[in-house]
Amino acid sequence: VFTQDFSIERYPIEQEGNIARLKAFDLKVARVYNQTLLDKFAVCSQWQSVASGQKSPPCGKNDGMFVDGWITDNPAFAINVGQYHISGGDLTKTMKVILTNTNDEWPTDQEPDFQYTQILQYFESPINKDVEPGSFNWPPGMWVPYQSPQIFSEFMDSSILNDLLEPIPGSNMTTAILKGTSIDNPIFGIRAGQQVEILLVILNEPITTYIVTPDLVQLYTDPLASMTKNIADNEELASRIKAFVEPLSDDDGDGAEPSSPNAGHSILQGGQFTAVAALSSVLFLVNFFMLA
């Protein structure tokens, strides 16, 4: 990510032909990479050996180094749905997904940016125009290109999404009901033809992912604990979740009641960002479950 961002900043300086500025820029970049603060900041892909108690060899050239999970966290919805398809899930049943967006605040304008990208990337939208599902794309607000996680055929843009958002009284949160029909996206294991209903929960709360020192732990403990309690205690949110996961009265259209309270529904909770665990841990109704 550093390399990609730095290259974007360096390019216009290089085009100006200003040698002095270019040397100064390269010097500052070198200082970033030479900072001891970043030593061992990345986690080697051999961490499982360490976790099992075995002595892990030093990371080699063929090992992955992970600094942040956004490239897997952010498209986690597509990854989860793909896992259900790969594992032989029934595509004739409607899948219900509770999708959380642990953002700071929702944009006041309707121009595509990082927040809109989190949702629009799953649909046919302006941010993936002329990009085949699974092909590389560089949508607005993202730091590097990555493979398009579009999994629905339906069109959606920022205006449509904003019109669907409903605020939750007494909180910063909003929710929306989204619907889509899956399309083939082999990169994520998605197969075409499944109906998917999504309860989108947008927190609009200042959740940091940079609690890495004792001072920051002390600073954020009370605010985050208070935020978590407010989410867990919100009766309107709980009501909307219950209404969303309620089974249909007649699953197969034959006029009979379903054989079990949860028959006919595939319900999956998809995380959106790393901090989704904070929300799912306090909303027991949203715990990961798949109904037969």
Side-chain angles (χ1 to χ4, degrees):
V1 173
F2 280 161
T3 302
Q4 187 67 55
D5 281 349
F6 286 153
S7 68
I8 296 173
E9 297 295 330
R10 191 181 190 276
Y11 180 76
I13 301 175
E14 185 178 23
Q15 293 302 300
E16 321 181 326
N18 190 324
I19 303 301
R21 283 193 64 200
L22 193 61
K23 288 184 177 180
F25 181 87
D26 289 343
L27 179 61
K28 291 179 180 179
V29 170
R31 287 176 179 172
V32 171
Y33 284 108
N34 290 329
Q35 285 287 336
T36 57
L37 177 66
L38 298 178
D39 289 354
K40 299 182 179 180
F41 191 71
V43 178
C44 181
S45 59
Q46 299 186 65
W47 68 272
Q48 289 181 325
S49 298
V50 177
S52 63
Q54 302 176 9
K55 185 177 180 180
S56 178
C59 282
K61 293 182 178 180
N62 294 327
D63 296 317
M65 298 292 290
F66 301 98
V67 175
D68 187 277
W70 73 271
I71 203 67
T72 53
D73 295 341
N74 291 22
F77 176 28
I79 294 172
N80 283 329
V81 175
Q83 182 60 38
Y84 177 68
H85 288 185
I86 291 172
S87 63
D90 188 349
L91 272 65
T92 66
K93 295 181 178 180
T94 298
M95 173 181 285
K96 287 196 170 185
V97 179
I98 297 175
L99 184 65
T100 56
N101 182 7
T102 51
N103 63 321
D104 285 343
E105 60 181 354
W106 194 250
T108 56
D109 57 38
Q110 295 191 9
E111 290 301 319
D113 74 344
F114 181 82
Q115 293 301 327
Y116 289 115
T117 292
Q118 305 314 303
I119 312 303
L120 299 185
Q121 63 182 344
Y122 300 122
F123 295 85
E124 179 75 28
S125 70
I127 70 171
N128 55 29
K129 183 179 180 181
D130 299 326
V131 177
E132 290 293 322
S135 297
F136 277 90
N137 186 27
W138 197 341
M142 307 308 287
W143 296 281
V144 295
Y146 60 97
Q147 289 170 290
S148 169
Q150 181 188 346
I151 60 174
F152 297 130
S153 60
E154 286 78 6
F155 178 83
M156 181 172 291
D157 59 18
S158 54
S159 296
I160 295 174
L161 179 56
N162 279 334
D163 288 342
L164 294 172
L165 296 177
E166 297 184 7
I168 294 181
S171 79
N172 295 330
M173 294 181 287
T174 59
T175 66
I177 300 294
L178 314 179
K179 297 181 180 181
T181 307
S182 67
I183 58 175
D184 288 319
N185 189 333
I187 295 298
F188 289 89
I190 305 295
R191 293 160 55 197
Q194 182 164 36
Q195 300 298 311
V196 181
E197 297 179 5
I198 306 153
L199 173 60
L200 174 63
V201 181
I202 301 178
L203 290 188
N204 297 315
E205 294 281 359
I207 302 176
T208 180
T209 58
Y210 300 104
I211 309 177
V212 293
T213 65
D215 288 342
L216 290 180
V217 170
Q218 184 175 5
L219 176 65
Y220 286 107
T221 295
D222 287 344
L224 291 179
S226 176
M227 178 206 69
T228 302
K229 183 178 185 301
N230 290 338
I231 293 172
D233 291 343
N234 192 289
E235 294 183 2
E236 177 60 24
L237 176 61
S239 176
R240 293 186 188 185
I241 292 174
K242 288 179 182 178
F244 179 72
V245 300
E246 281 293 327
L248 298 175
S249 60
D250 180 12
D251 175 50
D252 55 12
D254 61 1
E257 291 296 315
S259 56
S260 71
N262 297 324
H265 289 266
S266 299
I267 302 183
L268 174 71
Q269 182 225 333
Q272 188 68 23
F273 305 131
T274 306
V276 70
L279 177 63
S280 59
S281 65
V282 297
L283 290 176
F284 63 93
L285 291 171
V286 193
N287 216 357
F288 177 88
F289 58 101
M290 186 69 70
L291 304 181

